[in-house]
Amino acid sequence: MATGGGLDRIDRRILEIVQEDASLTVNELAEAVSLSQNACWRRLKRLEDEGYILKRVALVDPVKLGSAMVVFVTVRAAEHSDEWLAAFAGAVRTIPEVVEFYRMSGEVDYLLKLRVKDIAAYDGVYRRLIKAVRLLDISSAFAMEEMKFTTSVPIAL
């Protein structure tokens, strides 16, 4: 086991495996990385304690839950003040359809990824955004097909 915050090959393999299936038992995980159950549990616990594993979640099917449409929204800010950002970020965080939210460099100030039922649902989000703060520009692009989706972070083994 690596110490001092570093990761060894087994730690990296554990992270790779739990990103694909966090429901594995410690025994199954230990078998997959050729460790004893206790040694594997200690590593897993350390990876959680050190913040490499943030949380364990279940991925659900957005289509079955009525949120099949993916919309990418770009926003250009009307101003660049702490107060404006706090108001905008606060408003965005209250909108459950916004599943990702980034501050960007370049021509666009913010990028939002939404999951909505349809265009009418998107229009409701759009209206909430323009009501929250003054925006210079807001533009939307609707995903036609999801070509790749993963929640896994690449880990060099």
Side-chain angles (χ1 to χ4, degrees):
M1 178 181 344
T3 57
L7 298 177
D8 67 14
R9 182 184 56 78
I10 294 172
D11 292 333
R12 293 175 189 280
R13 183 69 182 132
I14 289 170
L15 291 173
E16 186 177 66
I17 292 169
V18 298
Q19 283 189 95
E20 291 301 317
D21 187 356
S23 71
L24 292 176
T25 66
V26 173
N27 191 48
E28 291 169 323
L29 184 59
E31 202 172 291
V33 297
S34 301
L35 286 177
S36 72
Q37 188 172 339
N38 286 340
C40 186
W41 179 85
R42 283 191 302 273
R43 282 178 181 258
L44 194 59
K45 179 78 172 111
R46 181 181 56 80
L47 291 167
E48 289 174 339
D49 291 347
E50 291 180 3
Y52 289 99
I53 297 174
L54 300 176
K55 60 183 172 179
R56 299 183 207 188
V57 299
L59 300 178
V60 299
D61 186 333
V63 174
K64 288 183 178 181
L65 294 171
S67 295
M69 183 176 281
V70 175
V71 185
F72 294 96
V73 178
T74 57
V75 173
R76 290 179 54 212
E79 62 179 275
H80 297 276
S81 68
D82 289 341
E83 296 79 18
W84 185 93
L85 176 56
F88 181 60
V92 169
R93 287 187 185 109
T94 67
I95 302 172
E97 293 87 351
V98 178
V99 296
E100 296 181 44
F101 177 35
Y102 302 94
R103 188 166 55 92
M104 307 295 289
S105 65
E107 302 261 337
V108 170
D109 296 312
Y110 301 93
L111 175 66
L112 292 75
K113 178 181 175 184
L114 283 64
R115 280 237 172 235
V116 295
K117 178 181 179 182
D118 53 25
I119 293 199
Y122 166 70
D123 188 51
V125 173
Y126 168 83
R127 291 176 185 279
R128 287 181 69 183
L129 288 171
I130 64 171
K131 187 177 182 180
V133 293
R134 196 169 74 78
L135 304 173
L136 181 62
D137 184 50
I138 185 168
S139 181
S140 305
F142 296 85
M144 301 297 291
E145 179 182 4
E146 187 174 270
M147 306 297 286
K148 178 182 179 180
F149 171 81
T150 183
T151 60
S152 295
V153 173
I155 299 174
L157 296 175

Short mmCIF file of all heavy atoms in Angstrom, two decimals, residues 91-113:
data_model
loop_
_atom_site.label_atom_id
_atom_site.label_comp_id
_atom_site.label_asym_id
_atom_site.label_seq_id
_atom_site.Cartn_x
_atom_site.Cartn_y
_atom_site.Cartn_z
N ALA A 91 -28.86 30.61 -8.28
CA ALA A 91 -30.06 30.29 -9.06
C ALA A 91 -29.88 28.97 -9.81
O ALA A 91 -30.78 28.12 -9.80
CB ALA A 91 -30.35 31.42 -10.05
N VAL A 92 -28.73 28.77 -10.42
CA VAL A 92 -28.48 27.55 -11.18
C VAL A 92 -28.54 26.33 -10.27
O VAL A 92 -29.11 25.29 -10.63
CB VAL A 92 -27.13 27.63 -11.93
CG1 VAL A 92 -26.75 26.27 -12.51
CG2 VAL A 92 -27.19 28.68 -13.03
N ARG A 93 -27.99 26.44 -9.09
CA ARG A 93 -27.96 25.29 -8.17
C ARG A 93 -29.35 24.87 -7.70
O ARG A 93 -29.53 23.75 -7.24
CB ARG A 93 -27.05 25.61 -6.98
CG ARG A 93 -25.59 25.59 -7.37
CD ARG A 93 -24.67 25.74 -6.16
NE ARG A 93 -23.29 25.82 -6.61
CZ ARG A 93 -22.56 26.91 -6.57
NH1 ARG A 93 -23.03 28.04 -6.06
NH2 ARG A 93 -21.31 26.91 -7.02
N THR A 94 -30.33 25.75 -7.83
CA THR A 94 -31.69 25.39 -7.41
C THR A 94 -32.49 24.72 -8.53
O THR A 94 -33.61 24.29 -8.31
CB THR A 94 -32.49 26.63 -6.95
OG1 THR A 94 -32.72 27.49 -8.08
CG2 THR A 94 -31.77 27.38 -5.84
N ILE A 95 -31.90 24.62 -9.71
CA ILE A 95 -32.61 24.05 -10.86
C ILE A 95 -32.17 22.59 -11.03
O ILE A 95 -31.06 22.31 -11.46
CB ILE A 95 -32.32 24.85 -12.15
CG1 ILE A 95 -32.74 26.31 -11.96
CG2 ILE A 95 -33.01 24.22 -13.35
CD1 ILE A 95 -32.32 27.24 -13.09
N PRO A 96 -33.03 21.64 -10.68
CA PRO A 96 -32.62 20.23 -10.71
C PRO A 96 -32.28 19.72 -12.11
O PRO A 96 -31.50 18.77 -12.25
CB PRO A 96 -33.82 19.48 -10.13
CG PRO A 96 -34.96 20.43 -10.17
CD PRO A 96 -34.39 21.82 -10.20
N GLU A 97 -32.83 20.33 -13.14
CA GLU A 97 -32.54 19.89 -14.51
C GLU A 97 -31.09 20.17 -14.91
O GLU A 97 -30.58 19.58 -15.86
CB GLU A 97 -33.49 20.56 -15.51
CG GLU A 97 -34.94 20.13 -15.37
CD GLU A 97 -35.73 20.97 -14.35
OE1 GLU A 97 -35.12 21.79 -13.61
OE2 GLU A 97 -36.95 20.80 -14.28
N VAL A 98 -30.44 21.10 -14.23
CA VAL A 98 -29.02 21.38 -14.49
C VAL A 98 -28.21 20.30 -13.78
O VAL A 98 -28.14 20.27 -12.56
CB VAL A 98 -28.61 22.78 -14.02
CG1 VAL A 98 -27.11 23.01 -14.27
CG2 VAL A 98 -29.42 23.86 -14.73
N VAL A 99 -27.59 19.42 -14.56
CA VAL A 99 -26.84 18.31 -13.97
C VAL A 99 -25.34 18.57 -13.94
O VAL A 99 -24.60 17.89 -13.22
CB VAL A 99 -27.16 16.97 -14.67
CG1 VAL A 99 -28.62 16.59 -14.45
CG2 VAL A 99 -26.83 17.02 -16.16
N GLU A 100 -24.87 19.54 -14.73
CA GLU A 100 -23.47 19.95 -14.70
C GLU A 100 -23.42 21.45 -14.95
O GLU A 100 -24.23 22.00 -15.70
CB GLU A 100 -22.63 19.20 -15.75
CG GLU A 100 -22.56 17.71 -15.50
CD GLU A 100 -21.71 16.98 -16.52
OE1 GLU A 100 -20.60 17.49 -16.86
OE2 GLU A 100 -22.14 15.92 -16.97
N PHE A 101 -22.43 22.12 -14.33
CA PHE A 101 -22.34 23.58 -14.38
C PHE A 101 -20.88 23.97 -14.27
O PHE A 101 -20.21 23.61 -13.31
CB PHE A 101 -23.16 24.14 -13.21
CG PHE A 101 -23.15 25.63 -13.02
CD1 PHE A 101 -23.09 26.50 -14.08
CD2 PHE A 101 -23.22 26.16 -11.74
CE1 PHE A 101 -23.10 27.88 -13.88
CE2 PHE A 101 -23.25 27.53 -11.52
CZ PHE A 101 -23.18 28.38 -12.60
N TYR A 102 -20.36 24.66 -15.29
CA TYR A 102 -18.95 25.01 -15.34
C TYR A 102 -18.75 26.50 -15.65
O TYR A 102 -19.48 27.07 -16.45
CB TYR A 102 -18.23 24.22 -16.45
CG TYR A 102 -18.35 22.74 -16.30
CD1 TYR A 102 -19.36 22.02 -16.95
CD2 TYR A 102 -17.46 22.04 -15.50
CE1 TYR A 102 -19.47 20.65 -16.81
CE2 TYR A 102 -17.56 20.66 -15.36
CZ TYR A 102 -18.57 19.98 -16.01
OH TYR A 102 -18.68 18.62 -15.87
N ARG A 103 -17.71 27.08 -15.04
CA ARG A 103 -17.23 28.41 -15.43
C ARG A 103 -16.13 28.16 -16.44
O ARG A 103 -15.24 27.34 -16.22
CB ARG A 103 -16.70 29.18 -14.23
CG ARG A 103 -16.36 30.63 -14.55
CD ARG A 103 -16.17 31.45 -13.29
NE ARG A 103 -15.18 30.91 -12.39
CZ ARG A 103 -13.88 31.23 -12.39
NH1 ARG A 103 -13.43 32.12 -13.26
NH2 ARG A 103 -13.06 30.68 -11.53
N MET A 104 -16.19 28.84 -17.58
CA MET A 104 -15.31 28.54 -18.71
C MET A 104 -14.33 29.67 -18.97
O MET A 104 -14.53 30.80 -18.54
CB MET A 104 -16.17 28.33 -19.97
CG MET A 104 -17.28 27.31 -19.83
SD MET A 104 -16.71 25.63 -19.56
CE MET A 104 -16.03 25.28 -21.18
N SER A 105 -13.32 29.35 -19.76
CA SER A 105 -12.44 30.37 -20.32
C SER A 105 -12.88 30.60 -21.77
O SER A 105 -13.64 29.81 -22.32
CB SER A 105 -10.99 29.91 -20.28
OG SER A 105 -10.81 28.79 -21.12
N GLY A 106 -12.44 31.69 -22.35
CA GLY A 106 -12.77 31.94 -23.76
C GLY A 106 -14.01 32.79 -23.93
O GLY A 106 -14.37 33.58 -23.06
N GLU A 107 -14.67 32.62 -25.05
CA GLU A 107 -15.82 33.45 -25.44
C GLU A 107 -17.05 33.22 -24.58
O GLU A 107 -17.87 34.10 -24.41
CB GLU A 107 -16.18 33.17 -26.91
CG GLU A 107 -15.07 33.42 -27.88
CD GLU A 107 -15.20 34.76 -28.56
OE1 GLU A 107 -16.32 35.29 -28.63
OE2 GLU A 107 -14.17 35.27 -29.02
N VAL A 108 -17.20 32.01 -24.08
CA VAL A 108 -18.36 31.65 -23.27
C VAL A 108 -17.95 31.70 -21.80
O VAL A 108 -16.88 31.23 -21.44
CB VAL A 108 -18.86 30.23 -23.64
CG1 VAL A 108 -19.90 29.74 -22.66
CG2 VAL A 108 -19.39 30.21 -25.06
N ASP A 109 -18.80 32.27 -20.97
CA ASP A 109 -18.46 32.36 -19.54
C ASP A 109 -18.88 31.13 -18.75
O ASP A 109 -18.17 30.70 -17.84
CB ASP A 109 -19.13 33.61 -18.93
CG ASP A 109 -18.60 34.88 -19.54
OD1 ASP A 109 -17.36 35.03 -19.63
OD2 ASP A 109 -19.42 35.74 -19.93
N TYR A 110 -20.04 30.54 -19.09
CA TYR A 110 -20.57 29.39 -18.34
C TYR A 110 -21.15 28.38 -19.31
O TYR A 110 -21.73 28.73 -20.33
CB TYR A 110 -21.65 29.84 -17.34
CG TYR A 110 -21.09 30.84 -16.36
CD1 TYR A 110 -21.19 32.20 -16.59
CD2 TYR A 110 -20.40 30.41 -15.23
CE1 TYR A 110 -20.63 33.12 -15.72
CE2 TYR A 110 -19.83 31.32 -14.36
CZ TYR A 110 -19.95 32.67 -14.61
OH TYR A 110 -19.38 33.57 -13.76
N LEU A 111 -21.01 27.11 -18.92
CA LEU A 111 -21.58 26.01 -19.69
C LEU A 111 -22.41 25.18 -18.73
O LEU A 111 -21.94 24.79 -17.66
CB LEU A 111 -20.49 25.15 -20.31
CG LEU A 111 -20.96 23.89 -21.05
CD1 LEU A 111 -21.77 24.26 -22.29
CD2 LEU A 111 -19.78 23.01 -21.42
N LEU A 112 -23.64 24.92 -19.12
CA LEU A 112 -24.55 24.10 -18.32
C LEU A 112 -24.97 22.90 -19.15
O LEU A 112 -25.21 23.02 -20.35
CB LEU A 112 -25.81 24.88 -17.93
CG LEU A 112 -25.66 26.04 -16.97
CD1 LEU A 112 -25.05 27.26 -17.63
CD2 LEU A 112 -27.02 26.41 -16.41
N LYS A 113 -25.06 21.76 -18.49
CA LYS A 113 -25.63 20.58 -19.13
C LYS A 113 -26.95 20.31 -18.42
O LYS A 113 -26.98 20.20 -17.20
CB LYS A 113 -24.71 19.38 -19.00
CG LYS A 113 -25.30 18.10 -19.62
CD LYS A 113 -24.37 16.92 -19.44
CE LYS A 113 -25.02 15.64 -19.95
NZ LYS A 113 -24.15 14.46 -19.68
#
